[in-house]
């Protein structure tokens, strides 16, 4: 299942309808907008996690910032706390140097979005991307983390991975940690660029 399909199924299939009400578009317009913006955000996300610090920050965010509950939270798009998390994500991705403003503007124009509407949508698309990654990664990483010596069965797999990765020299990472990160990165379709520096 693609990330777009996972997002579409969020909130029991009502994600685009609920988001449309927030930004005053139709459900179809919102789906097209998310579909247009998502491919531009993915390289920015992958740039963020292409170094060890960004990967640890990403894993901590998945563990602690409520992206699991966002999938079913009916009031998600009226929760300004989640919107602020989306704004913070966009800032991180810009800092990583991969958020292409020109491509974003082109994608928004192709979807028929006015610049102010695109600006309203972007933080929510970032949150939905993280929520989709949480869903796709949680179970497979949970299986892999359970094989790690000393890992607590009730612990978040994202927290365990972040703990293992933080402060560990790349040359000393265990093969199991590398395998888990490869599994996570494969969910976005590009393992090579990020694995070179982790």
């Amino acid at each position: 299942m693609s990330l777009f399909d996972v997002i579409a199924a969020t909130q029991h299939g009502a994600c685009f309808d609920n988001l449309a009400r927030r930004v005053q578009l139709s459900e179809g317009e919102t789906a097209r907008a998310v579909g247009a913006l998502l491919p531009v955000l993915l390289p920015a996300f992958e740039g963020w996690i292409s170094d060890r610090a960004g990967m640890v920050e990403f894993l901590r965010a998945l563990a602690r910032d409520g992206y699991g509950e966002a999938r079913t939270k009916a009031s998600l798009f009226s929760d300004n706390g989640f919107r602020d998390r989306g704004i913070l994500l966009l800032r991180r991705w810009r800092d990583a140097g991969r958020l292409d403003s020109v491509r974003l503007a082109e994608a928004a124009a192709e979807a028929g979005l006015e610049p102010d509407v695109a600006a309203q949508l972007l933080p929510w698309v970032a949150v939905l991307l993280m929520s989709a990654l949480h869903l796709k990664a949680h179970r497979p990483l949970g299986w892999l983390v359970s094989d790690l010596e000393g890992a607590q069965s009730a612990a978040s797999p994202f927290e365990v991975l972040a703990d293992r990765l933080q402060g560990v020299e790349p040359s000393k990472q265990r093969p199991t940690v590398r395998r888990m990160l490869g599994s996570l990165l494969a969910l976005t379709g590009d393992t090579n660029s990020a694995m070179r520096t982790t």
Side-chain angles (χ1 to χ4, degrees):
M1 183 180 279
S2 71
L3 287 171
F4 179 85
D5 291 336
V6 174
I7 289 170
T10 293
Q11 299 180 326
H12 308 290
C15 175
F16 294 142
D17 183 42
N18 293 338
L19 181 54
R21 295 176 191 178
R22 170 77 187 222
V23 296
Q24 298 183 324
L25 295 173
S26 73
E27 183 178 359
E29 288 170 333
T30 302
R32 285 193 296 277
V34 173
L37 295 172
L38 194 58
V40 185
L41 292 182
L42 273 172
F45 160 77
E46 289 174 354
W48 179 40
I49 63 170
S50 66
D51 64 51
R52 197 151 39 108
M55 174 62 83
V56 169
E57 188 176 29
F58 163 64
L59 292 169
R60 300 276 189 221
L62 287 186
R64 300 175 181 179
D65 288 351
Y67 293 110
E69 73 174 76
R71 295 195 308 273
T72 56
K73 185 174 181 177
S75 61
L76 172 65
F77 300 118
S78 60
D79 186 332
N80 288 333
F82 272 105
R83 182 204 58 197
D84 292 345
R85 288 173 206 170
I87 291 170
L88 180 60
L89 287 168
L90 293 171
R91 187 175 303 140
R92 292 285 188 269
W93 299 346
R94 284 193 181 93
D95 290 346
R98 295 286 189 92
L99 191 55
D100 189 328
S101 298
V102 173
R103 282 195 62 206
L104 275 176
E106 291 173 349
E110 288 171 10
L113 295 175
E114 295 294 330
D116 60 326
V117 177
Q120 288 181 59
L121 267 174
L122 277 169
W124 294 115
V125 179
V127 167
L128 291 170
L129 170 58
M130 291 287 284
S131 179
L133 286 169
H134 187 286
L135 176 63
K136 287 177 74 73
H138 192 271
R139 182 171 294 176
L141 290 187
W143 291 332
L144 290 168
V145 162
S146 67
D147 292 336
L148 277 180
E149 181 183 348
Q152 299 296 317
S153 60
S156 161
F158 307 117
E159 200 78 72
V160 172
L161 261 181
D163 288 343
R164 294 295 175 113
L165 186 58
Q166 191 167 31
V168 178
E169 292 300 324
S171 61
K172 296 181 180 178
Q173 289 176 22
R174 295 184 178 187
T176 47
V177 175
R178 288 183 178 277
R179 188 172 78 244
M180 282 184 283
L181 293 178
S183 172
L184 176 61
L185 293 168
L187 298 173
T188 70
D190 182 4
T191 62
N192 294 330
S193 61
M195 286 303 289
R196 276 197 290 269
T197 53
T198 53

